Amino acid sequence: MFQPGLLKGKRILVTGGGTGLGLSMGRRFLELGAHLVVCGRRNEVLAEAAKNLTAETGGQIETHGCDIRDADAVEKMMDAIWANGPLDNLVNNAAGNFIARSEELSPRAIDAVLNIVLHGSAYCTTACGRRWLKDGRKASVLSIVTTYAWTGSAYVVPSAMAKAGVLAMTRSLAVE
């Protein structure tokens, strides 16, 4: 099913692509022939990931330092990405979380998770979507959520709230 070259010619952006699940997905996209674009807040992490992935796969990787909590920064990043060609896919992967009793979370902690997961995913999705619609281009968005977006979970309430919002956004945009 996953033949070599399956994603040849596809440009895929993975938010939070320098570590964890984003890094693993990026590696697989490269193995399947995609041109990988990754973004994250820490340029040194992105540079290290790009170096390692290039060595492992020989694939093309483009990195963009961007705090996706900032809508203006996301627009600037998308302009820079599109300057090298349009994206075919967006993977909303960037996340943040605090494992804590909800009554112990500060408003800043709650905002940090909501801003990365929910707002960042919305900013990236709408920024890509506007460009795709303007160009009449077919594309796809994959939003990484978790089971507690449906079920809820203790000690991760801001993440559950944000992931449920991302799920609702993704479903709503699919209907729209």
Side-chain angles (χ1 to χ4, degrees):
M1 179 162 73
F2 296 108
Q3 298 295 317
L6 177 68
L7 298 176
K8 185 173 176 58
K10 300 292 184 187
R11 294 186 76 229
I12 302 173
L13 170 60
V14 179
T15 67
T19 61
L21 184 59
L23 181 66
S24 294
M25 286 186 289
R27 178 179 293 109
R28 187 64 175 137
F29 296 151
L30 287 166
E31 290 169 353
L32 294 172
H35 174 105
L36 180 64
V37 182
V38 294
C39 73
R41 288 179 292 147
R42 298 172 294 168
N43 283 316
E44 60 281 353
V45 171
L46 295 173
E48 182 70 16
K51 180 180 126 188
N52 292 338
L53 289 174
T54 298
E56 291 172 27
T57 68
Q60 292 182 304
I61 306 165
E62 180 181 329
T63 65
H64 293 271
C66 181
D67 185 343
I68 65 169
R69 298 175 292 186
D70 180 340
D72 291 335
V74 168
E75 286 296 332
K76 288 177 186 169
M77 175 184 68
M78 294 303 178
D79 286 342
I81 290 170
W82 252 259
N84 295 323
L87 291 172
D88 297 289
N89 307 93
L90 166 66
V91 179
N92 286 316
N93 170 69
N97 203 355
F98 294 103
I99 308 300
R101 295 169 58 108
S102 297
E103 68 270 20
E104 296 172 358
L105 292 169
S106 70
R108 284 187 63 178
I110 294 167
D111 287 348
V113 175
L114 289 171
N115 286 337
I116 294 167
V117 178
L118 180 58
H119 297 146
S121 294
Y123 299 153
C124 289
T125 302
T126 56
C128 286
R130 280 191 295 275
R131 287 164 174 83
W132 290 327
L133 289 169
K134 180 182 172 215
D135 295 343
R137 185 174 189 85
K138 291 187 178 195
S140 62
V141 176
L142 171 65
S143 297
I144 305 302
V145 295
T146 181
T147 57
Y148 55 67
W150 289 272
T151 63
S153 182
Y155 310 116
V156 291
V157 170
S159 179
M161 292 164 48
K163 293 290 189 177
V166 170
L167 177 61
M169 174 195 72
T170 304
R171 286 178 166 168
S172 296
L173 287 171
V175 171
E176 188 175 311

